[in-house]
Amino acid sequence: MPSADRAVALTGDVYLPDGSGLPGADGNAAAVLLVRTAYGRSRMTDEALAWSSRGVTVVVQDVRGRYDSDGDWQPYRHETIDGAAAVDWVRDQPWAAGRPLVAYGASYSAFCAWAVAVARPEQVDAVISVAPSLGLRSAKFEPAGILRLAEHAGWWFLHGEGRTSRVQLTERMLAQEKNLLRHLPVADIGDVAWPVTRRWREVLHHDDAAVRAGELTAADLAALNVPALHVGGLYDLFLPETVRLWQLVGSAVAHRPRRTMLLGPWDHGFGLSGATRVGAREHGPQARRLLGPLLADWLLATDRADRVTYFLPGAGRWYESAAWPPGPTTATTWYAADGAALTRRPDRPAGTATFLDDPADPFPSREPGADRRDLMSRPDAVCFDTGPLTAAVTLTGETIAVLHAGTDAEDTDWVVRLLERQADGTVMSLAHGSARHRPAADGSIEVTLTPVAARVAAGSSLVLQVSSSDFPDLARSLNQAGDRTTGAGWSLARQHVHHGGDRPTRVTLPVLDDSEATS
């Protein structure tokens, strides 16, 4: 297949169903599914054959510079123009005549699917988007611009600068080079990593040209008039992007196209292994759903109503709603207070909680779903606890924390987590967010946390935790002015979290009225 500029040849496989799936006398036609992937089209064989057995034609193409496609791969840069060329090629084939064209992908391929829809909005009839990684900026950086170091390094050394992916290399490198991600300056990590890299230094700042290359604009996505299926994992790094696309795509269209969202108890593996456990959290056999049949059922469905299907950890059941977040919800604010308390009363006296942030011993990360109880006694964080709840609380939607915080450092970060401390002592993370130290005029710092869906049982406590690191998931602040990716020194920082009085640190939670939930 030719690229858009016809400078390189792109390679794809076409899976044609047998005659039972071809257009019949009644004029109905099964779909053509277009997948563009950076991870090798042969990985799609089993799935493509399953689609083909249902009468769906599948086209799987290696993106420019990957596997059997010619050219130089620069992540995200050429996917819109090459995706347009792929659509043009498919539409010229006799087996595609009269058939709806569906752009489909997971992770990086989901970006490719949206790029195809933006490039050829009149030719693409639907989009299936699974755990979308929508660009280097949104995938590898926090909204505040903090580098997601572990994710970025793991992905970049596995995929970023090779024609083929280096399977298991990153895992083995990090197992042997245990201090690799601690190396300073961060800009030099590419020089000491096992793979030889050319571009590591180009992709360390969220506003650099190489990071923003190929990004899709909010206006382009809002203008898309295509039905879409959005699939996300409640423990997945890209959950916020899944929810954002549900809210954004088609929002500028007068008669908004059908949209469906499925949020399951999965990490970035999408539940494909069939496991019902994520980290220390077991969701039970009822959590298991086969993704393939769900996607196929959506593609063949005639129901035009918006629908959200989501699993609720803590309740152990699936629910349906016409919208996200499900409603009605009540914005319920809890206030940090003396005695490490989290209370509904806003009129508590002024106070300050203090901790010391040491970049040489940063507050550590944990895997999604991990039991975090071993971190609760660390001195480099402060926690505010509701105490055991007298009744269960269901949270669905967006959580916002407002910090009144200070530091004696030249620059620093704030990491906020909403935790559930269960009656048996297990501590689970419900939502998290981060911010650079950029106070507003009133001295406050607003932090939007990741979307939450959980039922917190009676007897459990809600905990608001504030630290200044989440390492190695996030690159450390060195607590000094200047570019943290080129700095090799650091400073201790004394951090102050104010509460009560006229500096009320607080968190606002979306509490669902369970009586309206549909199981």
Side-chain angles (χ1 to χ4, degrees):
M1 309 176 191
S3 63
D5 52 13
R6 299 191 174 272
V8 298
L10 307 180
T11 301
D13 292 333
V14 179
Y15 295 79
L16 293 170
D18 62 25
S20 64
L22 296 177
D26 59 0
N28 292 329
V32 176
L33 211 62
L34 173 61
V35 182
R36 306 189 65 251
T37 178
Y39 302 137
R41 67 193 192 282
S42 63
R43 294 182 62 180
M44 291 288 298
T45 297
D46 286 345
E47 187 174 354
L49 289 172
W51 282 105
S52 181
S53 71
R54 289 176 173 244
V56 175
T57 296
V58 183
V59 180
V60 188
Q61 183 188 67
D62 291 328
V63 301
R64 182 187 298 227
R66 292 287 283 175
Y67 291 84
D68 289 330
S69 287
D70 297 337
D72 178 34
W73 187 42
Q74 299 179 49
Y76 297 95
R77 184 177 296 272
H78 297 106
E79 308 313 353
T80 300
I81 60 170
D82 286 346
V87 171
D88 295 343
W89 185 89
V90 169
R91 284 301 190 192
D92 283 342
Q93 308 309 310
W95 39 260
R99 293 183 163 201
L101 177 61
V102 179
Y104 166 46
S107 195
Y108 187 94
S109 291
F111 170 83
C112 294
W114 290 112
V116 162
V118 166
R120 290 290 185 267
E122 302 302 322
Q123 298 291 330
V124 174
D125 297 289
V127 174
I128 299 177
S129 171
V130 181
S133 173
L134 288 186
L136 287 176
R137 189 160 61 127
S138 65
K140 312 306 179 187
F141 296 85
E142 291 283 282
I146 303 169
L147 177 67
R148 292 171 177 157
L149 179 62
E151 156 66 23
H152 190 35
W155 188 87
W156 195 259
F157 296 134
L158 178 60
H159 307 294
E161 296 192 47
R163 173 164 291 278
T164 60
S165 298
R166 308 175 181 95
V167 178
Q168 297 186 353
L169 178 70
T170 299
E171 296 173 3
R172 297 191 178 192
M173 175 179 67
L174 293 177
Q176 184 166 326
E177 309 288 346
K178 297 185 183 301
N179 291 320
L180 178 64
L181 297 184
R182 287 183 171 269
H183 184 88
L184 293 175
V186 170
D188 288 353
I189 290 178
D191 298 333
V192 297
W194 288 1
V196 175
T197 61
R198 295 172 294 158
R199 299 175 179 150
W200 171 257
R201 293 174 182 270
E202 299 175 10
V203 291
L204 298 180
H205 299 94
H206 74 285
D207 55 354
D208 285 352
V211 170
R212 303 189 65 160
E215 285 185 335
L216 306 175
T217 70
D220 286 338
L221 293 167
L224 284 178
N225 190 15
V226 293
L229 171 60
H230 309 269
V231 181
L234 297 174
Y235 300 88
D236 182 32
L237 176 66
F238 303 127
L239 173 62
E241 290 288 45
T242 303
V243 173
R244 185 176 79 91
L245 285 174
W246 155 268
Q247 295 166 339
L248 177 61
V249 171
S251 59
V253 179
H255 298 286
R256 191 167 189 171
R258 174 173 64 114
R259 53 188 178 143
T260 306
M261 186 163 67
L262 175 69
L263 300 178
W266 311 311
D267 55 18
H268 203 55
F270 323 133
L272 296 179
S273 68
T276 58
R277 175 182 292 271
V278 176
R281 187 142 207 175
E282 171 58 51
H283 300 93
Q286 64 275 16
R288 187 178 294 114
R289 284 202 167 187
L290 296 176
L291 194 57
L294 285 169
L295 302 183
D297 290 346
W298 179 85
L299 190 62
L300 300 173
T302 57
D303 178 17
R304 309 303 296 178
D306 290 350
R307 185 172 69 254
V308 176
T309 302
Y310 64 99
F311 188 83
L312 192 63
R317 297 195 324 213
W318 292 88
Y319 291 83
E320 287 196 353
S321 171
W324 182 266
T329 58
T330 301
T332 305
T333 301
W334 293 76
Y335 297 85
D338 280 338
L342 195 62
T343 174
R344 293 295 312 283
R345 292 178 55 190
D347 56 347
R348 301 302 292 267
T352 301
T354 301
F355 65 93
L356 192 67
D357 178 60
D358 182 0
D361 182 24
F363 196 91
S365 306
R366 289 289 182 267
E367 295 294 322
D371 183 352
R372 303 174 65 88
R373 76 177 80 189
D374 64 311
L375 302 179
M376 300 303 287
S377 60
R378 284 187 62 101
D380 52 347
V382 293
C383 294
F384 303 93
D385 194 317
T386 63
L389 299 175
T390 58
V393 174
T394 299
L395 306 176
T396 54
E398 184 178 83
T399 300
I400 296 177
V402 176
L403 304 182
H404 285 264
T407 179
D408 64 1
E410 296 172 336
D411 190 17
T412 198
D413 293 340
W414 301 102
V415 177
V416 180
R417 284 191 181 272
L418 178 67
L419 306 172
E420 176 189 2
R421 191 199 305 267
Q422 299 174 354
D424 65 358
T426 300
V427 177
M428 307 299 296
S429 180
L430 301 179
H432 62 274
S434 63
R436 301 287 296 272
H437 187 72
R438 304 287 189 270
D442 66 353
S444 66
I445 301 171
E446 183 172 292
V447 185
T448 300
L449 278 58
T450 50
V452 62
R455 177 166 295 163
V456 181
S460 290
S461 301
L462 290 172
V463 180
L464 178 67
Q465 183 184 68
V466 182
S467 66
S468 287
S469 300
D470 186 5
F471 183 81
D473 283 1
L474 303 183
R476 291 168 287 177
S477 169
L478 303 178
N479 295 326
Q480 296 180 346
D483 184 350
R484 70 176 66 187
T485 69
T486 59
W490 63 83
S491 300
L492 298 177
R494 187 162 296 279
Q495 316 291 55
H496 309 282
V497 179
H498 308 293
H499 50 80
D502 60 357
R503 295 188 288 185
T505 289
R506 58 197 184 273
V507 61
T508 300
L509 309 179
V511 177
L512 178 69
D513 180 357
D514 285 357
S515 66
E516 299 293 331
T518 302
S519 177

